[in-house]
Amino acid sequence: MKKIRILLADDHTLIRGGLRLLVEQQPDLVVVGEAEDGRAAAKLAASLKPDVAVLDVGMPNLNGIEAAKQITDGEARTAVVILSMHRDETYILRAL
């Protein structure tokens, strides 16, 4: 069975580590890369071509929304999931 390849991007090491643990418990998922900011996430997505990029909305150097735009512009087959602690999800949806 082909595994779904996932890129994790969050500026908090503890959150990235927790997400990695959750992903690696699933037999059909594999983490192919990690980034601590949006710019690194976009660069990794371009080289690794993951199936899914999981991005924190509030990262340094390039926020998750801008990183998502760069990732999907460069590699249309990569799906993006954005994580947020913001209460106003409407802001995030409008920005996308």
Side-chain angles (χ1 to χ4, degrees), residues 8-20 34-36:
L8 300 175
D10 195 299
D11 55 323
H12 296 94
T13 305
L14 185 62
I15 300 298
R16 275 196 332 271
L19 288 171
R20 178 182 271 280
E34 292 185 30
E36 62 186 30

Side-chain angles (χ1 to χ4, degrees), residues 70-92:
Q70 286 187 16
I71 290 168
T72 56
D73 284 348
E75 186 57 49
R77 70 176 201 92
T78 300
V80 174
V81 175
I82 295 188
L83 302 177
S84 172
M85 292 180 14
H86 296 280
R87 289 180 183 226
D88 187 5
E89 287 86 14
T90 305
Y91 162 76
I92 296 167

Side-chain angles (χ1 to χ4, degrees), residues 48-64:
L48 297 173
K49 299 185 183 343
D51 300 309
V52 179
V54 179
L55 310 174
D56 177 20
V57 74
M59 293 185 287
N61 296 326
L62 189 66
N63 68 44

Side-chain angles (χ1 to χ4, degrees), residues 1-34:
M1 170 182 0
K2 181 182 175 212
K3 293 190 176 195
I4 297 170
R5 304 172 71 246
I6 299 175
L7 169 65
L8 300 175
D10 195 299
D11 55 323
H12 296 94
T13 305
L14 185 62
I15 300 298
R16 275 196 332 271
L19 288 171
R20 178 182 271 280
L21 284 173
L22 289 172
V23 168
E24 290 179 341
Q25 290 178 1
Q26 304 305 312
D28 56 342
L29 305 178
V30 62
V31 175
V32 294
E34 292 185 30

